[in-house]
Amino acid sequence: MGSKSDWSTMKFCSDTLREFKIKHDVKVISAHRTPKRLHKYIKSAEKKGVEIIIAGAGGAAHLAGVTASITTLPVLGVPIESKLKGLDSLLSTAQMPSGIPVGTLAIGKAGSINSALLAVSILSTRYSSILNRLRNYRNKFEKKVPKTPY
Ligand code: RP5
């Protein structure tokens, strides 16, 4: 994530990954403020076999796009709520010109949770244990939705 202030949103992503027993790094790395750290982290992530990168950032949110430009790993972007209610973050994360894609989720908590679930879904095509956990989650999830609103 681009700042420590993003953690209150991105912790939902981390919690969800933990629920699925997905090992993950949690780092504060800014495309603007710590570009050297970004390059160094991506190199080390590729070496140690990281399979997906989730980047949460707000405002002029370049983190996901710059990350995607440096690596061929899939990059999921979470727009963090901002002074403009996250619209600036959403547009700067989603509106990538053709050639370097960022899979962009919803603004804020929902996007944070869904970024983890999408990562789980991508990984489930490769790991049967993760697929089983995802199927189990979906079964339970449907049961949690009430059939009437009252
Ligand atoms: C972005 O600027 C971060 O991702 C954060 O959402 C936003 C504000 O950062 P702080 O000023 O709170 O550190 O780079």
Side-chain angles (χ1 to χ4, degrees):
M1 65 209 76
S3 168
K4 193 178 169 182
S5 65
D6 298 330
W7 176 237
S8 56
T9 301
M10 293 312 292
K11 76 180 177 56
F12 294 105
C13 171
S14 183
D15 290 346
T16 307
L17 290 173
R18 212 170 317 109
E19 199 181 320
F20 282 90
K21 300 183 168 51
I22 309 293
K23 277 203 285 183
H24 59 284
D25 293 334
V26 177
K27 305 275 181 207
V28 173
I29 300 175
S30 165
H32 313 273
R33 293 168 175 161
T34 66
K36 285 186 204 138
R37 201 187 293 177
L38 178 61
H39 281 260
K40 199 171 164 198
Y41 174 72
I42 291 170
K43 261 195 196 145
S44 81
E46 286 177 337
K47 263 196 204 140
K48 71 179 180 184
V50 166
E51 291 173 77
I52 298 170
I53 296 182
I54 300 174
H62 297 131
L63 183 60
V66 175
T67 299
S69 77
I70 300 170
T71 183
T72 54
L73 290 171
V75 176
L76 307 181
V78 180
I80 303 291
E81 275 186 40
S82 63
K83 286 184 181 142
L84 301 181
K85 296 192 184 295
L87 196 56
D88 45 355
S89 323
L90 174 64
L91 295 178
S92 42
T93 303
Q95 288 296 102
M96 291 294 290
S98 70
I100 306 290
V102 169
T104 306
L105 286 302
I107 297 167
K109 180 180 173 183
S112 177
I113 293 170
N114 280 347
S115 69
L117 292 173
L118 185 53
V120 165
S121 175
I122 294 167
L123 293 169
S124 76
T125 62
R126 185 160 178 199
Y127 301 104
S128 58
S129 58
I130 297 177
L131 177 60
N132 289 338
R133 279 177 227 139
L134 183 56
R135 284 189 173 141
N136 192 28
Y137 167 89
R138 288 283 180 94
N139 286 338
K140 281 193 201 150
F141 190 78
E142 181 156 349
K143 282 179 197 138
K144 278 191 213 157
V145 180
K147 290 188 176 154
T148 57
Y150 44 82

